Amino acid sequence: HVQLVESGGGSVQAGGSLRLSCAASEFTYNRNCLGWFRQAPGKEREGVAAITTGTGLTYYVGSAKGRFTISQDGDANKWYLQMMNLKPEDTGVYYCAADSGGRRCLGIPDLQRMDSWGEGSLVTISS
C-alpha cells in the first residue's frame, strides 16, 4: 500500500474542463497500475482510466475515450486525469487508485486489484 493524495475537482458547466492530480508517497516497484475511478450519485464505483507506469500504455472506459487523458509524471510519482468536454453525466466523486504490487494494468482499472486509494474529489458538471 501507498499513501495517495488527490487534488483538483470542482464545478464547471457542460463543455468545460477539469484536471485531477494524484500524488503517491513511494512505490516499491517500477511497474505499477495507476488509475482513476468515479462514483456517480446512486451508482457503483467504476473504473475510468488506467496507465502502467513507465510504459505510456493507457486504457479508458468507453464514455471517457476522446475526452479524458490519463498521464503520469514518473519522477514525482504523480498522475493526472485531464477531463475535457465534460458532461452532466460525468458528475461524481473521482478517486485515484494504485495497484502497488508491481503489476501492469490489464485494461480498464479493476476495483478489486487496487490496494491504495485517494480520498476522493467531487466533480460537478452543470447543464
Side-chain angles (χ1 to χ4, degrees), residues 18-30:
L18 285 171
R19 189 173 90 149
L20 304 176
S21 301
C22 188
S25 52
E26 188 175 0
F27 289 111
T28 300
Y29 302 99
N30 291 328

Side-chain angles (χ1 to χ4, degrees), residues 21 24 34-35 38 41 45 52 59-60 65 72 74-75 79 81 87 96 98-99 110 115-117 119 126:
S21 301
L34 312 177
R38 70 182 170 197
R45 194 173 301 187
T52 298
Y59 303 89
Y60 297 94
K65 288 180 181 178
Q72 180 214 346
D75 291 343
W79 62 103
L81 186 68
K87 304 176 181 181
C96 64
D99 174 355
D110 185 336
D115 57 39
S116 305
W117 291 87
E119 67 272 24
S126 57

Side-chain angles (χ1 to χ4, degrees), residues 1-120:
H1 297 76
V2 295
Q3 200 168 17
L4 304 182
V5 178
E6 285 187 50
S7 60
S11 299
V12 297
Q13 290 189 325
S17 301
L18 285 171
R19 189 173 90 149
L20 304 176
S21 301
C22 188
S25 52
E26 188 175 0
F27 289 111
T28 300
Y29 302 99
N30 291 328
R31 287 286 182 265
N32 299 282
C33 181
L34 312 177
W36 290 95
F37 292 74
R38 70 182 170 197
Q39 188 162 17
K43 295 189 177 180
E44 294 185 352
R45 194 173 301 187
E46 65 168 347
V48 174
I51 185 169
T52 298
T53 55
T55 68
L57 293 175
T58 57
Y59 303 89
Y60 297 94
V61 69
S63 59
K65 288 180 181 178
R67 300 189 301 123
F68 293 8
T69 303
I70 186 171
S71 60
Q72 180 214 346
D73 176 359
D75 291 343
N77 284 337
K78 291 183 177 179
W79 62 103
Y80 310 93
L81 186 68
Q82 178 69 48
M83 303 182 289
M84 302 178 67
N85 190 22
L86 283 160
K87 304 176 181 181
E89 52 264 41
D90 294 318
T91 293
V93 178
Y94 284 69
Y95 299 87
C96 64
D99 174 355
S100 62
R103 292 176 289 268
R104 296 171 178 258
C105 300
L106 300 177
I108 298 169
D110 185 336
L111 197 72
Q112 303 302 322
R113 69 173 286 184
M114 298 310 200
D115 57 39
S116 305
W117 291 87
E119 67 272 24

